[in-house]
Amino acid sequence: MPELVFFSGTMDCGKSTLALQIEHNRSARGLTGMIFTRDDRAGEGKLSSRLGLVTDAVEVEDGQDLYAYLVDHLSQGRRADYVIADEAQFLAPEQIDQLARVVDDLSLDVFAFGITTDFRSKLFPGSQRLVELADRVEVLQVEALCWCGARATHNARTIGGAMVVEGAQVVVGDVDQGDDIGYEVLCRRHHRRRMTAATAHAAALSPDVLPVSSS
């Protein structure tokens, strides 16, 4: 049976790499996929990973009906054996409903990849709808790490290395961007404390480490 599967995780945990791997595996077996994306780091109409892999994709626009797009694509005699939707957190809830309809009415597997929560630890509307509708939610097993070495569970927005907690929900950026607006993955403890690698001087001894007496 076709499924709507949501692959979720923090930034820098390999979501787009897995999306590209799924595309490669299926295309190697003669299948043809429809790839949707939104606001990818590589630019419009691209699906890319931090490993340097990239492929063309359909850039989703505001208000675009993804189900109607697939129906039109198929009615013109073109193929689509499955659907990949990367950066799915940026899709509107109604577009997630349309992807669910693709599964139910067109009998196509849909693999959606996205971040669950934003830099304020609030659910993205698209991700929330995916959690509500998906047949399966898969948390990626390639764990991103906080600067302290613990498992990273939260995404932080930074300006000049300092964490910020106000601003628009969607600001396109990437990890390790220096003084520009960027992002860093943190464990819950350091996200709560707004302690990034820069502000914690992670290269030196962490102040969270208790001193060991020599006596």
Side-chain angles (χ1 to χ4, degrees), residues 153-206:
T153 55
H154 290 65
N155 306 293
R157 181 180 294 169
T158 61
I159 298 180
M163 179 175 162
V164 295
V165 295
E166 296 182 352
Q169 185 176 52
V170 179
V171 175
V172 178
D174 204 353
V175 295
D176 302 325
Q177 287 191 272
D179 292 336
D180 297 328
I181 294 177
Y183 291 88
E184 183 175 344
V185 291
L186 300 172
C187 64
R188 184 182 63 234
R189 178 177 62 162
H190 289 124
H191 191 276
R192 287 179 54 246
R193 297 180 181 180
R194 304 184 188 180
M195 191 177 294
T196 66
T199 57
H201 304 289
L205 179 66
S206 170

Side-chain angles (χ1 to χ4, degrees), residues 1 5 7 19 30 42 57 60 68 80 84 93 102 104 106 112 114 121 130 156 161 171 175 177 184 189 197:
M1 294 291 293
V5 186
F7 294 92
V60 177
I84 290 173
V102 168
D104 296 339
L106 302 181
S121 298
L130 275 165
V171 175
V175 295
Q177 287 191 272
E184 183 175 344
R189 178 177 62 162

Side-chain angles (χ1 to χ4, degrees), residues 62-125:
D62 291 339
Q64 183 175 3
D65 188 325
L66 303 185
Y67 176 80
Y69 186 94
L70 261 298
V71 169
D72 181 65
H73 178 85
L74 295 169
S75 67
Q76 294 182 39
R78 291 181 285 180
R79 287 182 60 184
D81 301 307
Y82 58 93
V83 175
I84 290 173
D86 197 33
E87 306 292 356
Q89 73 273 7
F90 296 145
L91 300 182
E94 55 268 25
Q95 290 173 323
I96 303 302
D97 288 346
Q98 293 156 11
L99 291 178
R101 189 180 178 191
V102 168
V103 176
D104 296 339
D105 293 359
L106 302 181
S107 297
L108 300 180
D109 284 315
V110 174
F111 306 103
F113 300 80
I115 299 167
T116 306
T117 58
D118 65 16
F119 70 104
R120 299 165 298 187
S121 298
K122 303 295 184 182
L123 285 168
F124 281 101

